[in-house]
Amino acid sequence: MENFSADTRRIALDAMGGDMGPTEVVAALQLALREFSDLCPVTIVGNEAELTPLLQQANLLDHPKVALLHASEVITMGDEVMTAIKRKRDSSMIKAIELVKNGEARAVVSSGNTKILVSAGTLKLRTLAGVERPALSPVIPREGGHFILIDAGANPDARVTHLVHNAILGSHYAQLELGVERPRVGLLTIGTEEGKGNSLINGTHESLKALGDLVNYVGPVEGFQVFFDHVDVIVCDGFTGNICLKSWESLSKFFRNELKAQMLSTPVRRLGGLLAKGAFTGLRHRIQPERYGGAPLLGLRGTVLKAHGSANRYALMNAIGDASEFIRVDFTSRIESDIERANKILRPEPADAKTP
Amino acid sequence: MENFSADTRRIALDAMGGDMGPTEVVAALQLALREFSDLCPVTIVGNEAELTPLLQQANLLDHPKVALLHASEVITMGDEVMTAIKRKRDSSMIKAIELVKNGEARAVVSSGNTKILVSAGTLKLRTLAGVERPALSPVIPREGGHFILIDAGANPDARVTHLVHNAILGSHYAQLELGVERPRVGLLTIGTEEGKGNSLINGTHESLKALGDLVNYVGPVEGFQVFFDHVDVIVCDGFTGNICLKSWESLSKFFRNELKAQMLSTPVRRLGGLLAKGAFTGLRHRIQPERYGGAPLLGLRGTVLKAHGSANRYALMNAIGDASEFIRVDFTSRIESDIERANKILRPEPADAKTP
């Protein structure tokens, strides 16, 4: 096992936060090392006594790309945000974030408590120059592909500037994650006619139009267009985004349960279901893709990837792979110049403003 | 055909606004008269030259419960709100609303342009005493039953008072439509811990708690709980509600398309799909129920029922039946005393406020 300060292009992996426990995290790390040949080195953070035998079993204890950092505490789903950040300094999540803060790593991957990860990430890593608030941006399946929802809950009381920054952050992320050269960016609202949203939406709409070629802004997007091939990035405030994301997950589960109940209700349907089993598996893979294991918290001086609390080893493996990719392309520094340009357009220098 | 001013307990039916045209509306009326023996009389409003042969074919021209009111114009989906209300005074929708305004009917049913129906209904009928804004409240299927979403888009820039009124309106509607004696009311937000929403949510949460037994308020509801058996009424602002409702519809379509594509992709799956056909029909009926053909615009001095633009005859039939039920139970007047009590709790009399 190498000295984890030797290469700062490394990933800090919180082993303790998820519902599935450290066994699943170690399995994910093993898969990631196998799957991604150029994976950045990883420091796995968590209880040494629990992790050592798991790493040994997985033949990772002496792996050149794996380091272990002991953390005696665990942040749970029931912890209060500020109490956890202040008191649980020796928790795996906080210590993983500290590694990035101290320059010993560049990305954190955690499936722990979202609110605490967002708050601790923001407080400790701070936002990029010119960015006021970070944004959580999951990848969601839709007709013919995927879109990025930004913000899914990091910033519920958003202002126009925040939404404009979300458009830039989401655009860069879509290039990286979806491989779209010029991602179409839409603003989530309730009417596609100009001036038909609320004041936040109207202000953001005008500002996005003013950005010119900085963002490929295609205009407002209404709810009924979300799951069809209209845009690659959907910009919204964190309140709307979080309710949408969570209610979509809830609706998906409801569908699955209802369909299952319908399929099992007669012997003929059960036989039909058996024959068509592959279709349901195919749909499940399409709708809840493990390919996108983590939603990044964009806009910080460092990468924070939030994996779903119930992320299994494959989802986590992909989150680890994504973190490595963020580091490889130096994602955060690519954004700063665009944010600076946008801020100049949105808030011209005082000298300009005073010109008669 | 009777004189339509003889009984004010009647329904004004806009025959022209929907995507399916007047043929479907006349068919719906015919079905409603057959299905609901105590249906209130109906004035069908639209182009006489088009409607007369349709009514004749349906044997409704001399029906004792059917009257026809000519309207020369039609409001389309592309019409501007204020222009339509000012200029298209002889449109079927505006004339139907005028019947209620003039006391010649008590309920309007229309599947026309939602924005114009909401605006014209509000301007012409005005809100109930103590109510500031109306709210659109569709019925949505969920695990084990249905819930009412209020507001689905009438009032995108909502304040605390509006959301509190939505709780009362939605509660009464759930009693009528879902048959629940003491409907559980929840406030849609992003965190179930107190004080974890935005300022609108926090203020509404406190006010709802202060209402005591006026509303069976069970607390905040998060997105992930929406489609499970937590509450009967979900209160939210019209911006969030509209985006949710429309994106849920969009997600349902996406699911259906994806599942269909999966089912048709191999011969074995196709056979399975054929055997299990009943399950898909069952799911469709469960998810897109025509039983709830119209979403009422609650809080006005008169009933306005908005049917989906693409509502077929069965959905419209049920909207007509619902309108009759609203009239029968004198729905609007039942609400005013509760609103008055709520307003006294929220805004005590100046005399009380000055008491040291």
Side-chain angles (χ1 to χ4, degrees):
Chain A
M1 197 172 285
E2 50 147 13
N3 176 346
F4 60 77
S5 60
D7 182 354
T8 63
R9 287 163 61 91
R10 64 167 51 240
I11 299 160
L13 176 62
D14 171 10
M16 312 302 287
D19 302 342
M20 315 278 277
T23 314
E24 204 69 14
V25 180
V26 171
L29 177 56
Q30 191 179 26
L31 286 169
L33 287 161
R34 208 178 293 158
E35 184 77 16
F36 312 109
S37 58
D38 58 349
L39 193 78
C40 290
V42 176
T43 300
I44 186 163
V45 187
N47 189 296
E48 201 167 5
E50 279 185 71
L51 287 173
T52 305
L54 292 171
L55 289 168
Q56 192 147 32
Q57 268 186 320
N59 277 324
L60 296 180
L61 210 50
D62 297 310
H63 195 286
K65 282 192 178 176
V66 177
L68 168 63
L69 177 65
H70 176 61
S72 63
E73 290 176 295
V74 179
I75 284 178
T76 66
M77 292 303 167
D79 277 335
E80 287 272 342
V81 175
M82 291 319 292
T83 321
I85 295 173
K86 278 185 204 152
R87 303 268 170 81
K88 289 197 167 173
R89 291 190 191 186
D90 205 54
S91 62
S92 55
M93 187 197 284
I94 303 293
K95 284 190 92 164
I97 296 171
E98 292 279 355
L99 284 181
V100 178
K101 184 184 174 187
N102 301 336
E104 293 170 82
R106 293 212 189 147
V108 184
V109 175
S110 174
S111 50
N113 186 311
T114 309
K115 280 180 203 160
I116 299 178
L117 184 65
V118 166
S119 302
T122 309
L123 282 169
K124 291 186 183 295
L125 303 186
R126 315 202 70 90
T127 53
L128 286 169
V131 175
E132 289 169 27
R133 299 286 175 87
L136 208 52
S137 42
V139 179
I140 321 266
R142 63 141 163 82
E143 179 201 47
H146 295 81
F147 69 91
I148 283 158
L149 180 75
I150 183 167
D151 166 32
N155 178 21
D157 263 323
R159 293 206 313 271
V160 169
T161 322
H162 306 156
L163 296 192
V164 171
H165 292 165
N166 288 355
I168 293 168
L169 295 168
S171 208
H172 278 272
Y173 182 46
Q175 286 175 335
L176 179 73
E177 188 70 51
L178 307 180
V180 185
E181 205 177 318
R182 202 145 164 67
R184 295 160 298 168
V185 176
L187 179 62
L188 189 60
T189 186
I190 64 171
T192 50
E193 300 150 63
E194 294 200 9
K196 293 293 169 194
N198 54 25
S199 54
L200 174 66
I201 295 301
N202 297 338
T204 307
H205 176 66
E206 292 307 322
S207 295
L208 286 173
K209 285 200 295 183
L211 290 190
D213 66 350
L214 251 178
V215 163
N216 180 17
Y217 178 55
V218 298
V221 175
E222 281 196 71
F224 71 87
Q225 300 171 311
V226 167
F227 289 93
F228 294 87
D229 189 2
H230 286 282
V231 295
D232 305 299
V233 178
I234 292 186
V235 170
C236 65
D237 66 275
F239 182 82
T240 310
N242 185 271
I243 288 175
C244 279
L245 179 66
K246 296 295 178 66
S247 68
W248 297 338
E249 288 174 358
S250 179
L251 181 56
S252 306
K253 266 190 208 167
F254 170 56
F255 271 130
R256 211 169 46 233
N257 295 349
E258 289 288 325
L259 184 58
K260 201 173 168 185
Q262 291 280 353
M263 296 296 297
L264 295 176
S265 67
T266 74
V268 175
R269 287 183 186 179
R270 274 200 291 276
L271 174 61
L274 215 59
L275 293 173
K277 197 164 179 251
F280 303 114
T281 314
L283 181 67
R284 201 171 57 240
H285 282 157
R286 183 76 186 86
I287 304 282
Q288 301 192 301
E290 279 146 2
R291 192 183 137 204
Y292 302 98
L297 181 66
L298 299 178
L300 297 178
R301 294 172 197 270
T303 293
V304 176
L305 268 165
K306 166 69 180 92
H308 208 286
S310 56
N312 63 15
R313 60 191 65 187
Y314 300 100
L316 271 169
M317 169 193 83
N318 284 308
I320 296 167
D322 279 356
S324 186
E325 194 63 11
F326 269 91
I327 297 173
R328 198 188 59 75
V329 303
D330 198 7
F331 185 75
T332 51
S333 70
R334 297 211 301 198
I335 289 167
E336 284 188 309
S337 70
D338 277 6
I339 293 285
E340 196 187 336
R341 277 179 62 200
N343 285 347
K344 274 193 181 145
I345 294 167
L346 299 178
R347 296 171 293 204
E349 302 289 322
D352 299 350
K354 277 176 195 158
T355 308
Chain B
M1 196 172 286
E2 50 146 14
N3 176 348
F4 61 76
S5 60
D7 181 355
T8 63
R9 286 163 62 89
R10 63 167 50 241
I11 299 160
L13 177 61
D14 171 10
M16 313 301 287
D19 301 342
M20 314 278 277
T23 314
E24 203 69 13
V25 180
V26 171
L29 177 56
Q30 191 179 25
L31 287 169
L33 287 161
R34 206 176 296 158
E35 183 78 16
F36 312 109
S37 57
D38 58 348
L39 194 78
C40 290
V42 176
T43 299
I44 185 163
V45 188
N47 190 294
E48 201 167 5
E50 279 185 70
L51 287 173
T52 305
L54 292 172
L55 290 168
Q56 191 146 34
Q57 269 186 319
N59 278 324
L60 296 180
L61 211 49
D62 297 310
H63 195 288
K65 283 192 177 175
V66 177
L68 168 63
L69 177 66
H70 176 62
S72 64
E73 290 177 295
V74 179
I75 285 177
T76 65
M77 292 301 166
D79 277 335
E80 286 272 343
V81 176
M82 291 319 292
T83 320
I85 294 173
K86 278 186 204 152
R87 302 271 169 78
K88 288 198 168 174
R89 292 189 192 187
D90 205 54
S91 61
S92 55
M93 186 198 284
I94 302 291
K95 285 190 90 164
I97 296 170
E98 292 279 354
L99 284 181
V100 178
K101 184 184 174 185
N102 302 335
E104 294 170 80
R106 293 212 189 146
V108 185
V109 175
S110 174
S111 50
N113 186 310
T114 309
K115 278 181 204 158
I116 298 177
L117 184 65
V118 167
S119 302
T122 310
L123 282 169
K124 290 187 185 294
L125 304 186
R126 314 202 72 89
T127 52
L128 286 169
V131 174
E132 290 170 27
R133 299 288 174 82
L136 208 52
S137 41
V139 179
I140 321 265
R142 62 145 163 81
E143 179 202 45
H146 295 82
F147 69 90
I148 282 157
L149 181 75
I150 182 166
D151 166 34
N155 179 21
D157 262 324
R159 293 205 312 271
V160 169
T161 322
H162 307 156
L163 295 193
V164 172
H165 292 165
N166 288 355
I168 293 169
L169 295 167
S171 207
H172 278 271
Y173 181 46
Q175 286 175 337
L176 180 74
E177 188 70 51
L178 306 182
V180 185
E181 205 177 317
R182 199 142 167 70
R184 294 161 298 169
V185 176
L187 179 63
L188 190 59
T189 187
I190 63 171
T192 51
E193 302 150 63
E194 294 199 10
K196 293 293 172 195
N198 54 24
S199 55
L200 175 65
I201 294 301
N202 296 337
T204 306
H205 176 65
E206 292 306 323
S207 296
L208 286 173
K209 285 200 295 182
L211 290 189
D213 65 351
L214 251 178
V215 162
N216 180 18
Y217 177 56
V218 298
V221 175
E222 280 197 74
F224 73 86
Q225 299 171 311
V226 166
F227 289 93
F228 293 87
D229 189 2
H230 286 283
V231 294
D232 305 299
V233 178
I234 292 186
V235 170
C236 64
D237 66 275
F239 182 82
T240 309
N242 186 271
I243 288 175
C244 278
L245 179 67
K246 296 296 178 65
S247 69
W248 297 337
E249 288 174 359
S250 179
L251 181 56
S252 306
K253 267 190 207 167
F254 170 56
F255 271 129
R256 211 168 48 233
N257 296 350
E258 289 289 326
L259 184 57
K260 200 173 169 185
Q262 290 281 353
M263 296 296 297
L264 296 174
S265 67
T266 75
V268 175
R269 289 182 186 180
R270 274 199 291 276
L271 174 62
L274 215 59
L275 293 173
K277 198 164 179 254
F280 303 114
T281 314
L283 181 68
R284 202 171 57 241
H285 283 157
R286 182 78 187 83
I287 304 282
Q288 301 192 302
E290 278 146 3
R291 192 183 137 204
Y292 302 98
L297 182 64
L298 300 178
L300 298 178
R301 296 171 196 270
T303 294
V304 177
L305 267 165
K306 166 69 180 92
H308 208 285
S310 57
N312 64 15
R313 59 192 64 187
Y314 300 100
L316 272 170
M317 170 193 82
N318 285 308
I320 296 166
D322 280 355
S324 186
E325 194 62 12
F326 270 91
I327 297 173
R328 198 187 60 74
V329 303
D330 198 7
F331 185 77
T332 51
S333 70
R334 298 211 299 196
I335 289 167
E336 283 186 310
S337 70
D338 276 7
I339 293 284
E340 198 188 334
R341 278 179 62 199
N343 285 348
K344 273 194 183 145
I345 294 167
L346 299 178
R347 295 171 294 203
E349 301 290 322
D352 299 349
K354 276 175 194 157
T355 308

